[in-house]
Amino acid sequence: MESKDKIIHLKSGILDIWNESVFTHQSSIKWFEDLQEILFNFFGIQKAKYFIYDAETFLELSWNHSFSKKLNAIKWAEIETFFYDKDFIDVHTLQIKHSSDNDVALLLRDVERQQPLGLIIMETTEKWKEFSQTPQLDEFIETITKLVKTIKKSVFLTQQENQYRNLFNVTKMFNSTLDIGQILEGTLHSIQLAFPKFESILILSNDQERKTSVPYKLFDYTTERNTTVEAYVSGEITTELAQDLGVRLLNIPIVGKQGIYGILQISAPLDYLFSIRQKDFAILLAEAAGNALENAKLYIQSHRLVSDLQLINETSHKLNMNLSLEEMLVFLRDQLIKFFHPEHVAFVFIENDEFKISSVSTDLFHTIDGQLYIQYVTNHFKKQKDSIFIADFNRLTDLKYEYRSLVAIPLKEQSNITGFSIIMHKEPYYFSFDNYKLMQSLIQHSSLAISNSTLRNKLQKMVDRDHLTNLFARNYLDRYVEKAMDTDDQGVFVLIDIDNFKRVNDTHGHQIGDEILKQIARVIQGMIKNKGISARWGGEELALYFSHMSLEQGIEMCEQLLVTIPQQTSPSVTVSIGISNWHRRDDLSFNNLFHNADTVLYKAKNNGKNQLRVYKASHSS
C-alpha cells in the first residue's frame, strides 16, 4: 500500500475512533485499544502503551485510571532533552523501565499550551520502520495528537462536571447550615466521593467544636508529621511519601478568610500520584469548608460573646453585693461548673509560700492525689505569673495523670499573686481556648472583689481582735453571746479580773503588765480551745463564754484557770472569777447575764480575791 493511501486509511480509522469515543465521556482506555488495533493492522505492532501527561509526569493509562497504581511514571524533566528537536526516538535512549530496547517513543505535544500531551511507547516492526522514514509520519502524529487532545478534553469536561456537581452540592449544604458537625461530615463525605478507594481523615485545630461522628483527630504540633505541620502553618497543600505508614499523604489545609481550621488528609498507595485536577478539586473543597466553618464559628462566637458578657456582668454584679468570702467562692464555683462543665474546681490561697485550699473546692483537692495538681500549679506561679492552659497533662510528664485537661488562673492583688482557681477534666483537650480566655476574664474580674473581701476580713479581724492579747474584742463577744442566746438552749458566761494589777504596773512597769495580759491570754486560749470564746473585756478584765455548756462544766473550767494562771505567769498573779449561766427556760437577757457575772465577781474581789463565785437565782454565792 502506498504511503499516501496508508495515511488516508490511517486517518479514516482514527476518525472512526473519534466518532466512537469522544461522546462516551468515559475515563477509560477504550479509545487506545481501538488505536492499538489500527497499529497492528497497518504496522503489525502488537504491544503499545499510552502515557497521559499530568503534573510534569507521564502516567500509564489503564482502566479506571483515576484510582490505578502508577508504577511506570516517567518524569518529563528526565526525558525532555531527548525530544528537543524531534517527536520520535528509540526507547533505549530514554532508559525507561519495563520497556524493550527495540521499542520506540512517540511524543504528542499540546502546541497551544506549549507542553506535552502524551507519550506512546510501542514495539517497532519493519513496516513501522519503513513508514517512519516517510513524510507521512508527521501527519500521522498530528492526527493522533488531535484525537488525544479531543478525547482528553471530553473526559476532562466530564470529570470536571462530576467534580463541580459534587462541589456544588456540598457548598449548597454549607450555605444552608451553621452546624459545624454537618459541615465536617459534608466535607469528608465529598472527599470520599472523589476518592472512594482512599482513606480520609480530618485533623482539626483545638478550637473547633467536635460534635461530629466523622473520623477526626486534634492537631498537635508536637506529634504531627512535618508535612502536615507545614500545610497547617503555610496554608499550602503538601504531599509526602510516608514510607513508615506505607502510604502517600496529601495534606489539604482547611482555609478560611481569617485563619486555618485544620487539615483534610488523604492516604493513597505509595506509588500513586495525585493529578493537578484532583489537587485543585481538593483545594476548592477545603476552601469551601474553611469558609463555612468560619461563618459557623463567627455565628457561634457572636452568640457566645453575648453569653460571656452576660456571665461576666452577672458575676461582677453578684460579687459586689457585699458577700462574705465563702459566699463569693461558692457562687464563683457554681458559675465555673455551669459554664465550663469541669469535673473538679478548686480555689487556693497562697500565704507565706504555702497553699491553703478553700473549703468550697471539690472533694478531690482535699486528697493527696488532688494536691499533686495544686503543687504543680503552685510551683508554676512561684516562677511566673502567666495563666496555665494544659490540653493534655500526660504530654508534659512521664507520669500518667488521671485528669488531663487543666486550666489555672491566678488571683491577683495588684501585681501580686494571692491564689488561683483550677478547673480540671479527665478528657484531654476538653477545654477550648475560648473557655480558657473566658475563664481568664471571669477570674480577673472576680479577683478585685475577692481581694476586697479578703481585705474586709482582715480589717474585721483587726476590729474583732484585741491587738495586744489577740483575744476577741468586747463588741465581738457581745454580738456572739446575743446570737447564741437566740439559738442555743444554755450557756455559761465568765468575767475574770487580774488581782492587784495596778500594783503590778506600778512595781514592774506597764510593759510587764502588758506581758502579764498576754501570758494569761495564752493560758485561756490553750485551755478552752474549741469549747468557747475569750475576749478582753477592758483593762485587766477578761471574759469567757461557753456555748451549750452546763454550769457545772463551766465551774470546772474556771477552777482549772484559778490554779494554772499563777503557775503560767511571771511575775505570778492570781485572778478573781465571776460565773453566771443561763437556760432557755429562764428567759434571761444578755444584760442580765452580764450583770449577774459582774455581781459575783465583785463579791470575789471583796472577799479575799484569788477565788471564783457563782451566781445563783437566790443571789447567794
Side-chain angles (χ1 to χ4, degrees), residues 551-565:
L551 179 61
E552 290 75 16
Q553 291 171 317
I555 292 172
E556 183 180 349
M557 291 289 299
C558 291
E559 286 175 342
Q560 293 179 29
L561 287 173
L562 275 177
V563 175
T564 306
I565 287 175

Side-chain angles (χ1 to χ4, degrees), residues 307-319 328 331-340 345 347 387 409-411 421 423 434-450:
S307 176
D308 292 352
L309 291 173
Q310 289 174 340
L311 167 64
I312 293 171
N313 182 61
E314 175 189 340
T315 303
S316 299
H317 178 72
K318 183 74 173 180
L319 295 181
M328 284 185 179
F331 173 75
L332 197 54
R333 177 198 64 194
D334 293 343
Q335 292 290 82
L336 295 176
I337 292 173
K338 177 181 177 182
F339 282 87
F340 305 118
V345 178
F347 294 95
S387 300
I409 311 297
L411 296 165
S421 175
I423 58 173
D434 288 339
N435 290 155
Y436 164 67
K437 297 301 290 183
L438 175 58
M439 182 175 169
Q440 203 172 34
S441 179
L442 185 66
I443 298 301
Q444 286 172 355
H445 278 80
S446 305
S447 283
L448 180 60
I450 292 172

Side-chain angles (χ1 to χ4, degrees), residues 538-550:
E540 68 269 27
E541 282 191 336
L542 310 173
L544 311 177
Y545 181 76
F546 301 100
S547 295
H548 306 291
M549 186 175 283
S550 67

